[in-house]
Structure formats: C-alpha cells, structure tokens
Amino acid sequence: MTVPARTRLSFQYDGKLLRLETTVHSVRPFADLEAANQALFKQASADEDHVVVTRETVFHPQGGGQPSDEGTLAMAAGHDVAARVPIFRVRAVRMDAVHDGQVLHLGHYIGGGDAGGGDAPLAVAMAPGDVVEQAVDADKRLLYSRLHTAGHVLGSAVRSLLEAEVPGFDELKASHFPDSAACEFRGSIEGRWKAPIQARVDEYLSRAMPVEIDFWTDDDFRREGLERLIPDRGLLPPGEDRFRVVRIVGAEVYPCGGTHVDTTDQCGPTTVRKISRAKGISRVSYAVAANGDVGGGQPTS
C-alpha cells in the first residue's frame, strides 16, 4: 500500500467548517491495521469496523485532552456510485501511531442506496480516490469546544490568582472530556481557593473575552515574554515553523490544537467542582452546562 501524505487538519484553520469534501487515500479493515494502531481504538470491532484515511479532515482526533469528533463520511453528491455506497459512521478518530501525521477515522458502514441497509458488502464500499463529504456531529463539536475553552478559562483564572501564592506553581495538563474535565497544576492549592477561583472564572465568562487563534514562531513567544510556553519543535509538521496558539484576550495564551468557541461567555455556566491534591499536584475539576442550556455559541477553531 502506498503511504499517503500527512492529513491536513482543516479544523485547525476553520473551526466552523463542519462539512468538507475531500479525497479518500485508503480504506482498511480494522483487522488489517498494525498492532500499534489497533491499540488506539479500545472499543473497535474486528469484524465490522474499518479505518479511512483522507487527504484533509474536519474531524478533531482525540488528543490534547479533547475527545475525538464523531460524524459521517458519504460519497459526494454527483459521484457515479453515490447511490450505491453506504454511509460510513465515524465513531472515533486518532492520529496514526505508525505513519506520521495521518488521521485515522474508525467506523462502520450503515447501509444506504442499493445496499438495502445494514452492513454493506465491500464491493460497494468507498475506495481510494473516491470523493467523499465529511460531516461532523455539530452538537458534540460544540460541547467539546465549550469544554476546551472553559478549561483554558479555568487555567487562566487559577494562574491569575495563585501564580505568586503557591510555591512552584505551574500549569501541567488538562482533560476536557465531559465526564472528567479537570486542570492540573504543580503545587498545593488549598480548598479555601475554590470560591475565589469560581468567582474569577465567572468574571472571565461574563466579560465575553475574545478567543483568538494564531500561528506563532519561537520569536513570537519571546516577543510576548512567553518563552516558558515554547513547545518542543519536534511537534511541528515537517517544513513548518509556526505553532498553533489560542489567546484568551485579556488573559492567557496557550499552545493548542483543539477547537474553541468565539468568546468566553459561549462556554456557558462553568462550575468549579472540586480541588484535590496528591504528591505535590493539585487537580481542579470543572463542568459546563449542557448545550441546550447555553445560548448562541458556535465553535471557532
């Protein structure tokens, strides 16, 4: 099999783009994947699932603390076999562990057209060179974007309050999953800080602070006095010299490849749930309201 080029991460340049026509590079049964790639998908079915690689993608792969998008792939309108090829339901998306920069879309066929429903025979499945339309589940994308931005708001709030108060303070990692959203910090954050952190989070949300996406060189970080944030250059794609960053205007800047909403108020009500401490690390958990309880809000990038 010819190894395709890196998948272009279209969602990083236009987070409102939830549908995209692109070309299929490869389609493989899950059972044919390398062991390292099979290990990425814990709930995969060797009998039903396939993995599709496309030239571009609007699907955010799981990573950076953010869950993967879900949605569908379908033959683009006007394609000569569009009526015969079933829809491909994308259940999970990961970065390829073997081929650098490729994105793996895991899912299964759900019938359509002459296939008569159910699983489709491979004779009418999509194939390399086919033009397909990707469609992301918009509700899940919006929820994940709100959670991710809220995590940065929380990190900014904690830093603004505690950077000079907690010995050895630093921001570490975060999870933006709906059932386990939390930010971790170096240093011991006492429980008495929960109310002040909530108040600062509420302030940042109410100010509707713009959330801006940019691409920075090392010199850009230095110009802003943020040398501490310069990522490992090994994370850059070949030939690139700029890192993607998200800036909450009036607060913090984060190197980040995730999806976000346009302004902080679009995160919706965000609750600081708990502060826990272990081995010099503090974990501040949080939750956001369901999409239906939040007005407006569309992902930005």
Side-chain angles (χ1 to χ4, degrees), residues 77-98:
H79 195 285
D80 59 357
V81 292
R84 295 190 295 106
V85 175
I87 292 172
F88 186 82
R89 176 73 68 185
V90 178
R91 296 192 293 108
V93 187
R94 300 288 188 273
M95 294 303 300
D96 195 307
V98 178

Side-chain angles (χ1 to χ4, degrees), residues 18 23 57 59 78 96 108 112 133 170-171 186 190 241 249 270 275:
L18 301 179
T23 303
T57 189
F59 286 84
D96 195 307
H108 59 276
E133 182 178 52
D170 198 5
E171 293 181 67
R186 181 173 291 112
E190 298 175 5
D241 67 347
V249 178
T270 300
I275 301 175

Side-chain angles (χ1 to χ4, degrees), residues 229-293:
L229 296 180
I230 298 176
D232 183 340
R233 294 193 65 79
L235 299 176
L236 283 169
E240 297 290 336
D241 67 347
R242 295 178 184 273
F243 296 98
R244 187 175 187 269
V245 298
V246 56
R247 180 197 289 273
I248 300 176
V249 178
E252 294 290 318
V253 174
Y254 293 93
C256 181
T259 65
H260 298 278
V261 289
D262 286 331
T263 54
T264 55
D265 59 308
Q266 292 178 358
C267 294
T270 300
T271 303
V272 179
R273 299 179 61 194
K274 181 181 179 182
I275 301 175
S276 57
R277 295 165 297 279
K279 300 180 179 179
I281 303 298
S282 296
R283 179 179 175 87
V284 183
S285 60
Y286 70 97
V288 301
N291 283 346
D293 298 326

Side-chain angles (χ1 to χ4, degrees), residues 147-163 169-174 176 182-185 189 197 200-201 204 228 248 251-254 270 272 284 286:
L147 278 160
H148 202 147
T149 306
H152 289 328
V153 169
L154 174 62
S156 299
V158 172
R159 179 176 288 278
S160 71
L161 290 168
L162 299 178
E163 185 172 22
F169 176 88
D170 198 5
E171 293 181 67
L172 301 176
K173 60 183 180 179
H176 311 297
C183 298
E184 293 188 2
F185 305 88
I189 301 176
I197 292 170
R200 186 61 55 88
V201 167
Y204 284 179
R228 64 182 172 81
I248 300 176
E252 294 290 318
V253 174
Y254 293 93
T270 300
V272 179
V284 183
Y286 70 97

Side-chain angles (χ1 to χ4, degrees), residues 90-114:
V90 178
R91 296 192 293 108
V93 187
R94 300 288 188 273
M95 294 303 300
D96 195 307
V98 178
H99 306 116
D100 183 49
Q102 292 177 34
V103 175
L104 308 178
H105 306 80
L106 175 87
H108 59 276
Y109 295 103
I110 57 174
D114 296 341

Side-chain angles (χ1 to χ4, degrees), residues 152-220:
H152 289 328
V153 169
L154 174 62
S156 299
V158 172
R159 179 176 288 278
S160 71
L161 290 168
L162 299 178
E163 185 172 22
E165 300 288 336
V166 174
F169 176 88
D170 198 5
E171 293 181 67
L172 301 176
K173 60 183 180 179
S175 167
H176 311 297
F177 282 70
D179 58 351
S180 60
C183 298
E184 293 188 2
F185 305 88
R186 181 173 291 112
S188 180
I189 301 176
E190 298 175 5
R192 64 185 177 89
W193 285 105
K194 180 181 176 182
I197 292 170
Q198 181 70 69
R200 186 61 55 88
V201 167
D202 291 344
E203 174 195 344
Y204 284 179
L205 298 179
S206 68
R207 286 166 56 187
M209 303 160 83
V211 180
E212 298 179 349
I213 304 299
D214 204 350
F215 292 83
W216 284 11
T217 65
D218 290 5
D219 287 341
D220 292 323

